[in-house]
Amino acid sequence: MAKSRARVIDDDVIEVVHEILSDWTGKLTWDLLIAAIKKGIGAEYTRQALANHKKITQEFNLRKRSLQLEAGRPVPADSRVEALQKRLDGLQAENERLSIECNNYRAKFFVWVHNAGKHGLSEKKLNEPLPHSVVVNPSRTLR
């Protein structure tokens, strides 16, 4: 019997993967991530399907690197120091992820500026306010 297709990897699935990777401890492999996703949302993806999404691949690689750094560090005797170190590691990983995301948006912006100029759109035209009928959702990412 043929395997049924998992749901399409959309922004919601990417957010779930982000949450799973953010909380990940221990060994991280694609197979373990696939199992965690299946447990979390009931959908089973292949490594190739997940790796085709740049955000997922970047987050996977960042978290794997972060876990390797954590593994090489001695365990602090004080639990408060350990908790602060985990918090610091999480913030550093988030900072690195956001820096990459910011650079990707910056690159996309330069493409848009070039194409706008090439097609005769002025900065004044691009800065016109949106009509009231358009609802802006800043939490939604552009693709």
Side-chain angles (χ1 to χ4, degrees), residues 4-34:
S4 64
R5 281 183 55 124
R7 89 184 229 205
V8 174
I9 299 176
D10 57 11
D11 287 342
D12 294 334
V13 173
I14 291 173
E15 184 62 31
V16 168
V17 173
H18 167 72
E19 294 299 322
I20 290 171
L21 286 171
S22 295
D23 297 335
W24 196 277
T25 57
K27 183 178 180 180
L28 175 61
T29 65
W30 283 107
D31 290 335
L32 292 173
L33 177 60
I34 290 166

Side-chain angles (χ1 to χ4, degrees), residues 81-95:
V81 173
E82 184 177 5
L84 288 172
Q85 188 62 53
K86 282 186 178 185
R87 176 82 173 126
L88 177 63
D89 291 340
L91 290 172
Q92 286 174 331
E94 182 180 14
N95 186 8

Side-chain angles (χ1 to χ4, degrees), residues 5 14 26 28 31 34-35 50 52 58 60 63 73 77 97 101 120 130 140 143:
R5 281 183 55 124
I14 291 173
L28 175 61
D31 290 335
I34 290 166
L50 293 171
N52 278 337
Q58 286 175 341
F60 178 88
R63 186 63 186 140
R73 188 181 309 126
R97 182 184 63 80
E101 190 173 326
L130 294 172
R140 183 87 175 146
R143 290 202 179 239

Side-chain angles (χ1 to χ4, degrees), residues 45-112:
Y45 298 100
T46 63
R47 179 195 60 77
Q48 292 84 356
L50 293 171
N52 278 337
H53 292 270
K54 190 175 180 180
K55 281 185 174 183
I56 292 175
T57 303
Q58 286 175 341
E59 292 211 23
F60 178 88
N61 292 333
L62 285 171
R63 186 63 186 140
K64 189 154 182 114
R65 205 172 350 170
S66 173
L67 289 168
Q68 289 169 345
L69 291 173
E70 291 172 21
R73 188 181 309 126
V75 178
D78 188 352
S79 62
R80 292 177 298 179
V81 173
E82 184 177 5
L84 288 172
Q85 188 62 53
K86 282 186 178 185
R87 176 82 173 126
L88 177 63
D89 291 340
L91 290 172
Q92 286 174 331
E94 182 180 14
N95 186 8
E96 190 171 346
R97 182 184 63 80
L98 291 172
S99 292
I100 290 169
E101 190 173 326
C102 183
N103 287 336
N104 290 340
Y105 282 129
R106 189 175 289 126
K108 186 181 283 194
F109 174 75
F110 284 122
V111 169
W112 289 350

